[in-house]
């Protein structure tokens, strides 16, 4: 559990953690709109060596962005998808093992898939509590 008081602290926490990645992790990001899922994704990308984290944005309309870092990063956003059939149609499971997979709005996945779950909660004082569940 980590309590973040700023976007920078969230990014730094995620970057430090990502430096330990082997390159085949699946990360499910869960949290309300504005919680910091994309900020956390930028930190992961930075930790994996992406030079320009400014290119990391929520792929809400494209559904998936791919970034080339030390390992490929497959960044998905399920916000606009209705449920499992649409999510399964994405076929992102095919990328497992080929790089790091970041999935925003992962709570929409209702089928079994091994992943590290990161829950970001906005607290009343506007800090973020970040919980990592292996």
């Amino acid at each position: 559990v980590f309590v973040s008081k700023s976007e920078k602290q969230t990014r730094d926490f995620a970057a430090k953690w990502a430096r330990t990645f082997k390159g085949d992790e699946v990360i499910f990001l869960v949290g309300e709109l504005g919680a910091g899922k994309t900020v956390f994704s930028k930190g992961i990308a930075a930790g994996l060596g992406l030079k320009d984290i400014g290119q990391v944005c929520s792929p809400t309309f494209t559904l998936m962005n791919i970034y080339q870092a030390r390992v490929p990063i497959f960044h998905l956003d399920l916000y606009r998808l209705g449920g499992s059939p649409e999510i399964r149609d994405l076929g992102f499971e095919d990328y497992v093992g080929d790089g790091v997979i970041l999935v925003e709005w992962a709570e929409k996945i209702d089928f079994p898939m091994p992943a590290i779950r990161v829950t970001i909660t906005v607290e009343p004082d506007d800090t973020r509590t970040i919980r990592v569940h292996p």
Side-chain angles (χ1 to χ4, degrees), residues 46-118:
L48 290 172
L50 185 67
K51 298 291 184 227
D52 178 14
I53 65 165
Q55 66 182 303
V56 177
C57 59
S58 183
T60 302
F61 296 102
T62 58
L63 300 179
M64 182 169 69
N65 291 331
I66 302 172
Y67 314 111
Q68 294 302 321
R70 175 173 56 88
V71 297
I73 302 166
F74 304 96
H75 184 197
L76 294 98
D77 187 316
L78 307 180
Y79 181 73
R80 295 197 174 279
L81 298 183
S84 282
E86 286 181 284
I87 293 168
R88 282 197 181 274
D89 285 346
L90 286 175
F92 73 90
E93 303 98 306
D94 296 341
Y95 296 102
V96 172
D98 292 339
V100 172
I101 300 174
L102 301 173
V103 183
E104 295 190 31
W105 297 98
E107 60 269 30
K108 290 188 166 215
I109 296 174
D110 64 358
F111 51 87
M113 180 161 187
I116 301 166
R117 186 178 186 90
V118 176

Side-chain angles (χ1 to χ4, degrees), residues 8 11-23 25 42-50 70-71 100:
K8 182 180 181 328
R11 273 193 316 272
D12 290 350
F13 172 77
K16 182 177 179 184
W17 180 43
R19 286 186 201 101
T20 69
F21 285 8
K22 292 180 288 181
E25 290 77 6
K42 287 179 184 225
I44 295 283
L48 290 172
L50 185 67
R70 175 173 56 88
V71 297
V100 172

Side-chain angles (χ1 to χ4, degrees), residues 22-36:
K22 292 180 288 181
D24 60 356
E25 290 77 6
V26 178
I27 311 296
F28 283 178
L29 298 165
V30 176
E32 65 186 67
L33 193 63

